[in-house]
Amino acid sequence: MNKTTPALALVLLATIVPACASTIARQSPQALITQEQGALSAPDAWAFGPETDSEIAANWAGIIHDETLLALMSEALAANPSLRASAESVRRSEAFLRQSRSGLLPSISAGAGASGSSDFEDFDLAERYSASLDASWEADLWGAIRSDILASEFDLQSARAVYRASRESIAASVARAYAVAIDAGHQVELSRATLTAQVETVRIVNVRYDLGAADRREQVLAESDVASARDSLELALALQRSAIRGLEVLLGRYPSGTMTVPDTLPEIEDIILAGRPADLLRRRPDVLSAEAGVRSAFASTDAVRGGRWPSLSLSGGVSSATDTLGDALDPAALALSVGIRLADTLFDGGLTDARIDAAEAGGKIALANYGASVLDAYADVEGRLDDVATLRNRAGFVETAARNARETLQLAEIQYKEGAIDLLDVLTFRQRSFQADRTLLALRRAETESRIALYLALGGAIDVAE
C-alpha cells in the first residue's frame, strides 16, 4: 500500500496540471441566451390588441366555456396516436438520462466457468473450475460524465416541452375542428334555406306565367337557380361530412362521418389575456425546448472537451481457479487483484480537436435556432392578437351588411310579386343576401378560431400532467 499511494499522487498531479493550464474563460449558456433575447429588443407590452399586462389563463377551461368541447379535447389527448408517440419520446429521454448517470457508478461483474482437458491417447478428463468478481470505476476528473448527465437532463426537458407542445397542438386542433364541423352544419342550413326560397320562387314564377305576367325566360332562370341551389346543398353536405371525419380522426375514432356535434359555436372568452412578451419565453413550449437544446449542446461540448485529457480508472477483483468445484470459493484458493490505470491519447490525427470544433459549432447552431424560435413566437402572438382585433372590428360591419341584405331581399320579393321589378333583380338580391350570410357565418367561425389560435400561440395550458 505504501508503494501505491505515491503512484496515485503522481497520477493526480499529472492530470490536474494540464487541466489547470488549459482553463479558459467561456460565457455561460445563460449569458448567451440572455444576449439572444436582448438582441430582439422586445417591448414591455404587445404592439397589437388590448391584451397587455394581465395573467394568462392556466388551462383551456379558463377560456372555453363548453363542456362538450372540453370533454372532446380530453378524449383526444387520451387516444391520439401521434401524442402516444411523443410520450414515448419522453420515456426514451428518461432512459438515456439513467444511462448517463450510470457512468458515475462502478461497474461490477461476476463470472463462473468450468473446463476439461485430456490427451488423445489416454482419455482422462481433467476438470478445472473458476469464479471471479470484478469491479472497475473511472474517475470523472474533468467532469465529462457530469456534463453528459447534464446534457441528458436538458434533453429530457426538451422532450417534455415537445410533448406538451404536441398536447396543446392537438387540443387546439380539436377545438378548431369542432368549430369547423359546427360551421359546416350552419352552411348546410343556409344552403337548405336558400334552396327552399328558390323553390318558392319557381312556384311564384309558374303562377305568374299561367296568368301571363311572366315569360318562359323567367321560368328557365328560376329553375336554373334551383338546380344551382341543389348543387350548393350537396357540396355543403359533403363538406360537413369531411369536417366531421376530420374531428373523428383527431379523437382517435373511426372516420365514419356520422358523429353528431352541437349547432352552436363554443363560447370562448372575448378577451384572451396575453400577459407580456417576457412571459412568453417562460411559458411557450417550443421556446422552452429550444432553450433546453442550447443548454444541452453546451453541456455536450463540455463533455467532449473532457475527452482531451487523460483518463484515470481503478479496478479490482477476486478470482479463483481450482480442480474441484467445492474448492472454487475456498479462501485459500482466492486471489485478489487491484489496479490503477492512467491513459491518454498522444496522437489522433486531430480527431479530438475536430470533435470539439463540431460540438462548439453545434452549440452556436442551437443558440441561433433559439433566437429564431423566440422571434417566431413573438411574431406568432402579435399576428394572432392582430387577427383577434381585426375580426372584432369587422364583426359590426359584416352583421350590418348581412342584415341589410336580408331586408333588401324581402323588399325585392314583395316588389316582384307586385310586378314592380324583374325576376333577375330578385335573384341578384338573393345571391347577395346568401353571400352576406355566408360571410357572417365565416366571420363568427374565424373569431372562434382566432381566439383558440391566440391561446395556443401563448403556449396553451401549463398545468399539464405528464
Side-chain angles (χ1 to χ4, degrees):
M1 193 67 178
N2 292 334
K3 296 180 180 180
T4 305
T5 302
L8 179 59
L10 290 175
V11 168
L12 294 176
L13 180 63
T15 53
I16 290 173
V17 170
C20 293
S22 66
T23 300
I24 58 174
R26 290 189 295 269
Q27 284 186 291
S28 68
Q30 181 57 55
L32 294 171
I33 288 171
T34 301
Q35 286 181 10
E36 201 72 23
Q37 295 171 358
L40 297 175
S41 302
D44 292 333
W46 299 107
F48 294 93
E51 305 83 354
T52 52
D53 291 317
S54 299
E55 186 176 353
I56 307 170
N59 52 46
W60 289 97
I63 68 163
I64 296 176
H65 308 297
D66 186 313
E67 294 302 323
T68 299
L69 174 54
L70 292 173
L72 291 177
M73 293 166 75
S74 297
E75 179 182 341
L77 294 178
N80 189 277
S82 298
L83 189 59
R84 292 204 304 271
S86 182
E88 290 304 320
S89 296
V90 174
R91 294 189 181 93
R92 181 176 60 183
S93 295
E94 291 172 343
F96 285 153
L97 176 58
R98 293 195 302 271
Q99 179 179 316
S100 298
R101 286 173 175 167
S102 68
L104 290 176
L105 302 175
S107 174
I108 302 175
S109 61
S115 63
S117 63
S118 173
D119 54 39
F120 284 104
E121 294 182 2
D122 184 15
F123 188 79
D124 184 13
L125 191 65
E127 299 176 349
R128 192 71 173 168
Y129 299 93
S130 63
S132 64
L133 180 66
D134 300 293
S136 61
W137 176 69
E138 182 175 346
D140 188 24
L141 294 176
W142 320 117
I145 297 176
R146 288 189 295 273
S147 294
D148 189 52
I149 292 173
L150 192 60
S152 296
E153 289 175 347
F154 289 128
D155 287 341
L156 177 57
Q157 289 181 17
S158 178
R160 285 174 173 166
V162 170
Y163 172 65
R164 185 164 76 83
S166 298
R167 285 179 57 95
E168 298 317 294
S169 178
I170 289 172
S173 295
V174 169
R176 284 195 293 260
Y178 181 78
V180 168
I182 292 173
D183 177 68
H186 293 166
Q187 298 291 349
V188 168
E189 293 173 1
L190 179 58
S191 295
R192 283 199 175 114
T194 301
L195 175 59
T196 299
Q198 298 288 29
V199 169
E200 174 62 15
T201 297
V202 168
R203 188 192 68 79
I204 294 172
V205 169
N206 287 336
V207 170
R208 287 170 56 83
Y209 180 79
D210 292 339
L211 295 174
D215 56 22
R216 178 57 183 162
R217 179 183 64 85
E218 291 185 343
Q219 276 188 316
V220 173
L221 185 58
E223 290 169 358
S224 175
D225 274 14
V226 167
S228 295
R230 293 188 190 280
D231 178 65
S232 295
L233 177 58
E234 286 300 319
L235 178 59
L237 288 169
L239 292 174
Q240 182 186 38
R241 293 191 297 271
S242 177
I244 290 176
R245 284 196 300 271
L247 178 57
E248 288 170 333
V249 168
L250 288 171
L251 297 174
R253 301 183 187 180
Y254 185 83
S256 63
T258 58
M259 178 180 172
T260 301
V261 296
D263 58 4
T264 304
L265 287 169
E267 181 186 349
I268 300 182
E269 289 288 338
D270 182 50
I271 300 297
I272 306 298
L273 303 178
R276 299 174 302 165
D279 299 334
L280 189 69
L281 306 184
R282 298 186 293 269
R283 178 187 177 98
R284 185 160 156 143
D286 59 338
V287 173
L288 294 175
S289 176
E291 180 178 339
V294 173
R295 298 183 187 279
S296 173
F298 275 77
S300 295
T301 301
D302 289 340
V304 173
R305 287 194 186 102
R308 179 194 295 273
W309 311 116
S311 62
L312 175 67
S313 59
L314 306 176
S315 62
V318 178
S319 62
S320 68
T322 62
D323 295 333
T324 59
L325 180 61
D327 294 336
L329 299 179
D330 188 344
L334 298 178
L336 175 66
S337 64
V338 294
I340 183 171
R341 180 175 180 271
L342 177 67
D344 194 12
T345 300
L346 299 181
F347 178 75
D348 62 2
L351 176 62
T352 300
D353 289 339
R355 285 176 175 172
I356 293 174
D357 290 343
E360 290 176 345
K364 293 177 182 178
I365 291 171
L367 187 63
N369 288 337
Y370 172 76
S373 295
V374 172
L375 184 58
D376 288 344
Y378 285 150
D380 192 12
V381 174
E382 291 286 11
R384 300 306 179 184
L385 285 168
D386 194 12
D387 289 344
V388 169
T390 299
L391 290 168
R392 186 184 297 121
N393 293 335
R394 288 183 57 204
F397 306 137
V398 175
E399 288 172 0
T400 299
R403 183 174 60 252
N404 290 345
R406 286 191 295 269
E407 183 177 352
T408 301
L409 175 59
Q410 291 171 356
L411 294 173
E413 289 173 340
I414 294 173
Q415 290 175 320
Y416 175 70
K417 291 178 183 179
E418 296 174 349
I421 62 173
D422 189 77
L423 176 62
L424 184 58
D425 295 327
V426 176
L427 297 180
T428 300
F429 286 129
R430 179 169 293 144
Q431 183 61 34
R432 289 182 60 183
S433 178
F434 177 69
Q435 187 58 49
D437 285 338
R438 276 195 181 281
T439 302
L440 180 58
L441 289 176
L443 176 73
R444 288 170 178 168
R445 190 189 87 182
E447 285 185 304
T448 298
E449 291 181 314
S450 68
R451 295 169 194 170
I452 293 168
L454 172 57
Y455 187 66
L456 178 64
L458 292 169
I462 57 173
D463 56 347
V464 176
E466 299 181 359

